[in-house]
């Protein structure tokens, strides 16, 4: 049982992973609402907090001088009492290949409501499995988040790959008075596709070229005449830790929508397949006719809930991550969500946001 005034959140609900923890902690920080999260990551084979989740919680607690209890690796219940969000310079290190982007997902919305601009130095994995690549955050999330009024700069100082990690990303966030609702319901036409195929460490640049060529071949089918530019590169030795390879592809539309497909290389998986997998993911995301891809969907829910006014987003099939993000937002805010099913392939998510105001600026 949570104490009086503390909202109890079931960490095993719906997607049942770290996302519930990240969204709940961010909203707790933003709203000044104490929370207890139990059954943490109950849906995973190794339930409870992992080092990455621990780092994320500690970072959010630092940002607001909060009080955390139950924060140990393996813990299945935490309680968080937030304080006021304070600007400054903060550092967080997963000490593993844990995703830097998942730390950013939790922390960056909080910093919009700080009193001044804030710098984060985040260390861990920049291109990790089961998380957005840092390239996705900069190429897709960042420009769409700007439509809400969210402004931040992001600089990759060093890339870090599984299993070593060791990457570093520095962000600078700028405070806002409030976020603005957005309408993303007109997809327009795909005007061009751009991307980045990379290798680092002991892998030759030929692998990057193979991924890029494989992706382009598949994308050309049915897209004759479309401008496609995929950069193939080898990360400079001083700018990367460990050996890694991957590709990200982004389709831009006439109305400013951005849709992506990506894949990371693994031992024993041919480079041709890595490139083709990323291309197929992008093709699938273009097919449903939505304005956002399956990975941006859930990342916008928190911004929609905080914004002033009604946001509407046209998307493909609603993912479990999105359902989970809506569930947590409804538990902690008064935001009203509505889903309109247009077809088996497309939906509109509506949200009347709470218009949270930054009283510090």
């Amino acid at each position: 049982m949570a104490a009086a005034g503390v909202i109890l959140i079931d960490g095993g609900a719906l997607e049942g992973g770290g996302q519930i923890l990240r969204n709940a902690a961010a909203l707790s920080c933003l709203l000044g609402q104490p929370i207890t999260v139990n059954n943490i990551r109950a849906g995973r084979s190794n339930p409870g907090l992992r080092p990455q989740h621990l780092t994320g919680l500690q970072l959010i607690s630092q940002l607001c001088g909060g009080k955390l209890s139950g924060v140990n690796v393996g813990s299945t219940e935490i309680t968080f009492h937030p304080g006021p969000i304070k600007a400054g310079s903060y550092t967080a290190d997963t000490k593993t290949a844990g995703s830097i982007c998942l730390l950013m997902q939790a922390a960056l919305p909080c910093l919009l409501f700080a009193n001044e601009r804030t710098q984060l130095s985040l260390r861990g994995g920049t291109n990790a499995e089961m998380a957005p690549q840092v390239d996705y955050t900069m190429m897709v999330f960042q420009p769409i988040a700007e439509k809400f009024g969210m402004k931040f700069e992001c600089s990759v100082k060093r890339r870090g790959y599984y299993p070593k990690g060791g990457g570093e990303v520095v962000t600078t966030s700028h405070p806002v008075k409030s976020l603005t609702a957005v309408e993303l319901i007109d997809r327009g036409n795909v005007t061009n596709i751009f991307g980045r195929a990379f290798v680092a460490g002991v892998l030759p640049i030929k692998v990057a070229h193979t991924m890029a060529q494989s992706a382009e071949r598949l994308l050309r089918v049915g897209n004759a005449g479309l401008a496609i530019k995929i950069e193939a590169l080898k990360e400079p030795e001083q700018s990367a830790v460990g050996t890694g390879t991957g590709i990200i592809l982004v389709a831009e539309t006439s109305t400013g929508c951005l849709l992506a497909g990506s894949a990371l290389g693994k031992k024993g998986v041919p480079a041709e397949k890595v490139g083709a997998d990323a291309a197929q993911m992008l093709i699938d995301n273009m097919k449903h006719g939505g304005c956002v891809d399956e990975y941006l969907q859930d990342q916008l829910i928190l911004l929609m809930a905080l914004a002033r006014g009604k946001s509407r987003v046209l998307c493909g099939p609603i993912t479990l991550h999105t359902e989970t993000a809506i569930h947590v937002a409804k538990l902690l805010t008064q935001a009203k969500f509505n889903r309109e099913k247009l077809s088996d392939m497309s939906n509109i998510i509506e949200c009347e946001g709470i218009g949270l105001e930054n009283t510090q600026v």
Side-chain angles (χ1 to χ4, degrees), residues 56-344:
L57 285 171
Q58 288 166 339
L59 174 59
I60 290 178
S61 185
Q62 273 188 72
L63 301 180
C64 65
K67 293 180 183 175
L68 275 168
S69 59
V71 281
N72 304 298
V73 171
S75 174
T76 57
E77 180 173 311
I78 64 100
T79 296
F80 178 44
H81 288 263
I85 300 166
K86 294 295 179 193
S89 184
Y90 299 93
T91 300
D93 188 349
T94 65
K95 297 185 174 64
T96 66
S99 171
I100 287 173
C101 293
L102 295 183
L103 294 179
M104 290 167 65
Q105 266 185 33
L108 291 181
C110 302
L111 297 177
L112 295 173
F113 294 84
N115 51 329
E116 291 177 359
R117 70 177 188 176
T118 302
Q119 188 175 87
L120 297 179
S121 177
L122 306 174
R123 295 171 189 144
T126 55
N127 303 73
E129 287 283 3
M130 307 299 289
Q133 296 190 43
V134 70
D135 310 274
Y136 181 93
T137 298
M138 294 191 294
M139 293 161 74
V140 178
F141 174 77
Q142 187 174 15
I144 301 302
E146 280 185 7
K147 295 178 186 290
F148 289 86
M150 181 178 189
K151 288 191 172 62
F152 68 95
E153 287 91 45
C154 185
S155 171
V156 181
K157 301 298 183 187
R158 192 168 54 252
R159 301 246 170 189
Y161 308 102
Y162 181 83
K164 289 182 178 180
E168 183 180 9
V169 174
V170 174
T171 69
T172 303
S173 296
H174 303 272
V176 296
K177 188 65 181 172
S178 64
L179 293 173
T180 307
V182 301
E183 281 225 343
L184 294 171
I185 53 172
D186 180 7
R187 218 282 283 280
N189 301 311
V190 174
T191 56
N192 68 99
I193 293 172
F194 57 97
R196 181 181 195 275
F198 68 88
V199 293
V202 300
L203 295 171
I205 194 168
K206 178 186 174 187
V207 173
H209 284 294
T210 301
M211 287 188 293
Q213 290 158 5
S214 172
E216 185 169 345
R217 271 196 303 275
L218 191 52
L219 290 168
R220 288 276 174 218
V221 179
N223 290 301
L226 192 66
I228 300 175
K229 185 176 182 182
I230 306 168
E231 181 186 17
L233 56 92
K234 184 173 174 73
E235 302 287 5
E237 193 175 329
Q238 68 276 15
S239 303
V241 176
T243 295
T245 177
I247 181 170
I248 179 163
L249 307 166
V250 180
E252 185 173 19
T253 78
S254 54
T255 56
C257 298
L258 298 164
L259 306 144
S262 63
L264 290 173
K266 293 179 187 171
K267 195 170 183 179
V269 179
E272 289 89 350
K273 178 166 169 42
V274 178
D277 284 351
Q280 189 59 55
M281 184 188 292
L282 177 57
I283 290 164
D284 292 345
N285 275 317
M286 291 193 292
K287 264 183 193 167
H288 57 59
C291 294
V292 299
D293 61 40
E294 60 184 309
Y295 298 106
L296 190 60
Q297 245 187 60
D298 65 278
Q299 293 186 59
L300 296 186
I301 296 300
L302 192 146
L303 301 181
M304 292 167 74
L306 296 175
R308 182 180 305 284
K310 182 185 282 188
S311 293
R312 300 173 73 224
V313 176
L314 175 65
C315 63
I318 294 176
T319 67
L320 186 56
H321 272 92
T322 298
E323 296 278 11
T324 306
I326 292 171
H327 169 72
V328 175
K330 286 165 84 171
L331 279 175
L332 286 166
T333 75
Q334 300 301 308
K336 293 179 174 62
F337 286 89
N338 182 51
R339 281 158 278 186
E340 182 186 348
K341 191 178 176 73
L342 303 180
S343 69
D344 286 345

